[in-house]
Amino acid sequence: MTNLSNYIYTLCTLVLLLMANVAVGSTLKVCKTCTYTSVKQAVKKAKPGDTVLIQGGVYREHGIEITKPLTVLGQNKPVIDGNYKGQIITVLADNVTIEGLTLKNIATSYRHDDAAIRVVQRSNVRILNNTILNTYFGIYLQNSDNCVVKGNTVTGKDVTGLNESALGNAIHLWYCNNADISNNNVKGHRDGIYLEFVEDSEVKNNLSQHNLRYGLHFMFSDGNVYTHNTFRKNGAGVAVMYTRNIRMEHNTFEGNWGAAAYGLLLKEITNSSIHNNTFRRNTTGIYMESSSQLDVQRNQFDKNGWAIRLLSSCIQDTFRLNNFTGNSFDVSTNGTPTMNQFENNYWDKYNGYDLDKNRVGDVPYRPVSLYSMLVEKVPPSVMFMRSFMVDLMDNIEKVLPSFIPESLIDEKPMMRKIDYDNDRKLAQVVR
């Protein structure tokens, strides 16, 4: 028994020493006067658990493959210039960290989708605080789980006059789970952040702006959380498609203007919540098609062309405690059947009264105007906006409603704008 105990003790000691050696590792320095003068050389010579420390300077390299657990760390802002010859870093190992580098200059590559950093079928990869400039794809993760992409600045090109095929995405995930995409600043790409077949992930505190198509675009990606992001002045805003169980909270959608631009485009999504967001100065705040069982609550819709375009294919959606201010159209639809609920929203166009002083209007409000339905069916009629005939038409429809959806109505409109931070009595008023 004593010999067996000694054997087990010795084996455990060896395992612990091996783990300690892997965890600590050695540091291989890269600089013009160091033993290693190229990043590729140091990465190839490094052992699992080592750190490759890249000193300040410019390294014209591409095709760097990481095939073992490493930390690749930049010191004094080193630049790796791909010189338009191909992908710069490819990660082919688990437990890799890439931090503090500037990566730039990758040519448009229609066949290979070259990126500054590509992760292929790996897990526990951390891409932190890097600057990526003038690339096709910035950061590309495929079939990789439990990865962190945080604090990176990914800047592409001036998208003016370019078509979508000439641009890749700043941060691109395909078939990934449990990803953390946070605190990144992305612009000048086709899509700022793109996710397809991505589940149980979080996208938070990112700024995505001036992208040719969407600030955020995700499809077939269930169970994700998007919070505290800003999507500004993108070609078409944000698109959420063919997805369920999504939480979108505390985001800002602003300045997404254009003939087909939206703050948020929802197509065939279900069982999701849209809470505490701000939709400001978009052509359309939210465009909803074939979407059901959505909880749209406590959002600010301010100075949009259309606050909400709710197509008749949407059912069982709830709109509650939202503020509608300064919008040309608060709600529009393309048909009469509606199976959705509006309650306790504030509408700046509401001119009802509150005799019992409970802060809830005594008469219902119909947010859909006859003119908004006309514009939905005949788009060129928007040129008559603000005309006397439009006002007269809408006023007659309010007195004798016959065309606007009878069931699309807020039975309990709020009398004043809702202050979510300071209005402590709100719960008592709307219960």
Side-chain angles (χ1 to χ4, degrees):
M1 191 71 178
T2 302
N3 291 336
L4 180 60
S5 298
N6 289 336
Y7 174 77
I8 294 173
Y9 175 79
T10 302
L11 181 62
C12 290
T13 301
L14 289 172
V15 170
L16 289 172
L17 287 173
L18 180 61
M19 290 177 63
N21 184 56
V22 171
V24 175
S26 301
T27 298
L28 288 73
K29 292 185 178 180
V30 181
C31 68
K32 300 303 180 184
T33 58
C34 296
T35 302
Y36 301 102
T37 58
S38 81
V39 179
K40 185 183 293 187
Q41 179 189 23
V43 166
K44 186 176 181 179
K45 290 291 185 180
K47 297 178 181 179
D50 283 353
T51 296
V52 175
L53 182 63
I54 306 171
Q55 304 283 338
V58 177
Y59 304 85
R60 290 180 171 82
E61 302 185 45
H62 69 284
I64 301 167
E65 293 189 352
I66 301 176
T67 59
K68 66 206 83 170
L70 294 178
T71 295
V72 179
L73 183 63
Q75 186 176 56
N76 298 323
K77 301 180 179 180
V79 176
I80 302 179
D81 186 345
N83 203 25
Y84 303 103
K85 292 183 178 179
Q87 192 155 272
I88 297 178
I89 296 177
T90 304
V91 178
L92 301 171
D94 300 337
N95 304 308
V96 171
T97 297
I98 300 172
E99 182 172 5
L101 307 177
T102 295
L103 307 171
K104 69 177 186 178
N105 296 337
I106 291 180
T108 298
S109 52
Y110 299 110
R111 293 179 59 190
H112 304 291
D113 288 346
D114 286 337
I117 302 172
R118 180 189 288 267
V119 181
V120 182
Q121 297 180 352
R122 298 295 100 192
S123 64
N124 301 313
V125 175
R126 293 158 50 85
I127 301 172
L128 311 174
N129 305 313
N130 301 285
T131 299
I132 297 174
L133 305 173
N134 194 30
T135 63
Y136 187 43
F137 282 80
I139 298 169
Y140 196 127
L141 277 62
Q142 63 184 77
N143 295 100
S144 298
D145 297 336
N146 303 305
C147 295
V148 177
V149 179
K150 184 175 182 179
N152 303 282
T153 297
V154 188
T155 302
K157 304 173 182 178
D158 180 358
V159 299
T160 305
L162 296 179
N163 57 44
E164 292 182 5
S165 62
L167 298 167
N169 302 321
I171 299 174
H172 184 108
L173 277 70
W174 186 73
Y175 275 104
C176 300
N177 295 323
N178 300 302
D180 177 357
I181 312 298
S182 58
N183 299 96
N184 301 287
N185 187 335
V186 300
K187 65 179 180 180
H189 290 79
R190 180 171 58 208
D191 293 338
I193 302 171
Y194 179 90
L195 299 91
E196 187 170 3
F197 301 107
V198 174
E199 297 186 356
D200 302 317
S201 298
E202 188 169 9
V203 178
K204 60 184 178 182
N205 297 315
N206 300 285
L207 171 60
S208 182
Q209 60 184 338
H210 299 291
N211 296 291
L212 183 63
R213 191 168 61 177
Y214 299 115
L216 168 66
H217 184 192
F218 60 99
M219 305 171 64
F220 311 107
S221 298
D222 301 336
N224 298 305
V225 177
Y226 307 90
T227 180
H228 293 93
N229 303 286
T230 296
F231 305 105
R232 178 184 299 139
K233 294 185 178 180
N234 297 291
V238 172
V240 184
M241 301 179 180
Y242 316 111
T243 300
R244 61 185 178 181
N245 300 326
I246 300 298
R247 229 173 8 103
M248 301 194 71
E249 300 180 355
H250 298 285
N251 301 290
T252 298
F253 306 79
E254 63 181 6
N256 301 292
W257 283 105
Y262 316 98
L264 176 59
L265 165 64
L266 305 175
K267 183 177 177 62
E268 296 191 32
I269 79 164
T270 59
N271 297 303
S272 299
S273 61
I274 302 169
H275 292 175
N276 301 296
N277 301 283
T278 297
F279 298 87
R280 181 186 301 116
R281 295 186 181 279
N282 304 286
T283 300
T284 299
I286 301 180
Y287 179 92
M288 300 174 61
E289 179 180 342
S290 302
S291 298
S292 62
Q293 299 178 11
L294 306 186
D295 183 23
V296 184
Q297 187 172 149
R298 294 175 176 262
N299 301 284
Q300 303 274 1
F301 295 91
D302 183 49
K303 298 181 178 64
N304 302 283
W306 286 262
I308 296 174
R309 296 178 71 179
L310 179 65
L311 302 195
S312 57
S313 57
C314 300
I315 61 172
Q316 298 179 352
D317 299 316
T318 301
F319 301 83
R320 193 166 182 265
L321 298 171
N322 301 288
N323 285 322
F324 293 85
T325 58
N327 304 295
S328 298
F329 302 112
D330 289 328
V331 180
S332 72
T333 186
N334 63 340
T336 53
T338 56
M339 300 177 64
N340 305 288
Q341 181 182 6
F342 285 79
E343 185 178 61
N344 291 128
N345 300 284
Y346 170 76
W347 313 88
D348 65 350
K349 298 181 180 66
Y350 178 63
N351 56 9
Y353 48 85
D354 179 20
L355 297 179
D356 55 7
K357 305 299 181 183
N358 69 344
R359 294 173 51 189
V360 178
D362 293 339
V363 295
Y365 178 66
R366 298 180 183 276
V368 177
S369 68
L370 177 59
Y371 181 51
S372 71
M373 293 194 67
L374 177 62
V375 172
E376 196 70 41
K377 295 178 182 297
V378 187
S381 63
V382 74
M383 69 178 66
F384 298 108
M385 184 176 289
R386 314 297 182 195
S387 70
F388 169 75
M389 289 302 298
V390 168
D391 293 336
L392 179 62
M393 182 171 58
D394 282 340
N395 287 328
I396 293 173
E397 182 66 17
K398 288 179 182 178
V399 176
L400 300 170
S402 56
F403 293 102
I404 60 177
E406 186 176 348
S407 59
L408 207 161
I409 185 171
D410 190 336
E411 296 280 0
K412 299 178 180 179
M414 304 302 291
M415 289 301 297
R416 70 176 187 226
K417 187 177 179 180
I418 303 166
D419 184 346
Y420 304 114
D421 295 327
N422 301 315
D423 204 338
R424 298 179 181 178
K425 297 181 180 180
L426 183 61
Q428 297 177 348
V429 171
V430 300
R431 66 182 178 182

